[in-house]
Amino acid sequence: MMEKYVCTGCGFIYDPAEGDSLYFIKAGTPFEALPDDWSCPICYAGKDAFDRL
């Protein structure tokens, strides 16, 4: 089971089962596999602003 991550800036939850259609991230993509320049689609915080749920 892939883990979800929450943005500490705005509370957005990245769910690997859903991916991120804004950045063309396919469903099933684990957080660790997101590109280094990926950012929160709500507040644009970087990956380092996310905590594992």
Side-chain angles (χ1 to χ4, degrees):
M1 180 177 177
M2 291 184 275
E3 296 176 331
K4 297 177 183 178
Y5 283 75
V6 61
C7 177
T8 59
C10 71
F12 169 80
I13 296 175
Y14 176 75
D15 183 349
E18 296 177 11
D20 182 359
S21 61
L22 182 66
Y23 292 106
F24 305 104
I25 304 296
K26 294 181 181 181
T29 303
F31 185 82
E32 296 81 8
L34 293 173
D36 290 337
D37 62 348
W38 180 86
S39 60
C40 175
I42 305 298
C43 71
Y44 308 107
K47 284 176 64 175
D48 59 343
F50 280 73
D51 288 334
R52 185 174 41 187
L53 287 178

